[in-house]
Amino acid sequence: HHRPEPDLQVLHVHLVELALLAGRSRVAGTPRCSARRKEFWLQSVEDLAKNLKERGQHLVVEAVEDPAEFFATLCDRISIRAVFAHQEFCDEELQTEAAVRRVLEDHGATLETFWGALTVHHIDDLGFDA
């Protein structure tokens, strides 16, 4: 018989990489995020926080330079088993994902990623190995 684990707590975290929100693209030098997109993001995060609060939960929103550093600090402060996030697909974001994965593994935690949070198509429907 499998003994159930004690109740685990969930910490909802929404990280904003400052370079992605306020920075410029490295190729064209254009802003990465328009004013309209920033407003949409803000409204979406506020709505998520409100919905979580209605369920007795809390959303931590942090603007960070380095997500891996954020998780290293968080792991030093509290015990973390796993982090769940959408799977990245662009080069810079994949580098960030790999850095976060390394930090979590160094602290005995895992990074569990899931496809589809930011895309219209599922990766399995692309017709080739991505």
Side-chain angles (χ1 to χ4, degrees), residues 63-120:
V64 299
E65 293 288 340
D66 182 357
E69 186 178 301
F70 170 86
F71 281 107
T73 301
L74 189 62
C75 286
D76 288 341
R77 293 177 59 203
I78 63 174
S79 176
I80 295 177
R81 259 198 192 164
V83 171
F84 300 89
H86 68 84
Q87 185 176 6
E88 298 293 354
F89 50 89
C90 295
D91 184 58
E92 290 169 319
E93 289 85 354
L94 286 170
Q95 290 175 30
T96 298
E97 183 180 294
V100 168
R101 186 178 308 278
R102 283 190 300 274
V103 163
L104 291 172
E105 288 173 354
D106 288 348
H107 287 84
T110 61
L111 176 62
E112 306 290 334
T113 59
F114 301 90
W115 181 262
L118 299 174
T119 61
V120 176

Side-chain angles (χ1 to χ4, degrees), residues 1-103:
H1 225 38
H2 165 311
R3 183 180 173 138
E5 295 184 43
D7 289 340
L8 298 176
Q9 294 186 359
V10 174
L11 177 63
H12 302 278
V13 178
H14 180 83
L15 291 185
V16 179
E17 280 187 77
L18 292 173
L20 296 179
L21 183 66
R24 295 190 166 273
S25 72
R26 59 190 160 107
V27 176
T30 58
R32 289 184 178 256
C33 190
S34 69
R36 184 178 302 166
R37 187 172 182 191
K38 286 178 189 175
E39 182 62 26
F40 175 77
W41 166 81
L42 180 60
Q43 291 172 356
S44 298
V45 171
E46 287 173 344
D47 186 59
L48 176 60
K50 178 180 157 267
N51 286 325
L52 285 170
K53 186 175 182 179
E54 289 171 359
R55 290 167 177 76
Q57 299 179 40
H58 180 71
L59 177 65
V60 174
V61 179
E62 289 285 331
V64 299
E65 293 288 340
D66 182 357
E69 186 178 301
F70 170 86
F71 281 107
T73 301
L74 189 62
C75 286
D76 288 341
R77 293 177 59 203
I78 63 174
S79 176
I80 295 177
R81 259 198 192 164
V83 171
F84 300 89
H86 68 84
Q87 185 176 6
E88 298 293 354
F89 50 89
C90 295
D91 184 58
E92 290 169 319
E93 289 85 354
L94 286 170
Q95 290 175 30
T96 298
E97 183 180 294
V100 168
R101 186 178 308 278
R102 283 190 300 274
V103 163

